[in-house]
Amino acid sequence: MKIQNLILAITFCITGTLSAFSATIPTKTPERIQIQTLLNAIDYKQYLSNETKVNISFFVTAQNEIVVVATDNKDLDHVLKLTLNYKKIAMNELNYQTIYTIPVSIK
């Protein structure tokens, strides 16, 4: 039981540390365009009946792979992670291992 509590405490510390290093991705970066291209491939009609906005938090690994940390839409969470996770992008203006948040409007 003590080990579980220790793991839980470490998880909260890491989560708190990561959130302190979060930034919003600038609107005109080449990385944003690449992510938008990946997101445009999703047929959102299967998952939504109305327009919506979602924030996607992610970081990019040293291998230029996107890793989605979280989204704020439980209906789209799975499909967004499936679409973006471990997809390679060319890095120009973003930093590796920094958590970025990208706001997305789905129409």
Side-chain angles (χ1 to χ4, degrees):
M1 192 66 159
K2 290 182 182 183
I3 292 175
Q4 289 176 339
N5 290 341
L6 178 62
I7 292 172
L8 184 62
I10 290 171
T11 303
F12 283 125
C13 289
I14 291 172
T15 304
T17 302
L18 290 176
S19 65
F21 295 105
S22 182
T24 300
I25 186 170
T27 56
K28 301 267 181 175
T29 64
E31 294 89 348
R32 183 182 185 101
I33 294 167
Q34 293 173 76
I35 291 170
Q36 284 178 321
T37 301
L38 291 168
L39 293 174
N40 285 338
I42 300 172
D43 181 13
Y44 293 100
K45 293 175 188 171
Q46 297 180 59
Y47 308 100
L48 299 171
S49 57
N50 297 322
E51 294 180 7
T52 191
K53 292 183 180 182
V54 60
N55 290 309
I56 303 169
S57 297
F58 69 95
F59 65 91
V60 182
T61 68
Q63 293 77 32
N64 290 5
E65 295 175 334
I66 300 169
V67 176
V68 176
V69 177
T71 70
D72 63 356
N73 186 308
K74 68 177 186 166
D75 296 328
L76 294 175
D77 187 74
H78 178 71
V79 71
L80 293 172
K81 288 179 179 178
L82 188 64
T83 301
L84 294 176
N85 274 343
Y86 305 106
K87 299 297 189 292
K88 290 193 177 222
I89 61 171
M91 291 288 286
N92 292 319
E93 296 184 28
L94 301 184
N95 297 316
Y96 295 110
Q97 305 301 332
T98 298
I99 296 178
Y100 292 95
T101 301
I102 183 171
V104 178
S105 294
I106 301 169
K107 298 179 181 183

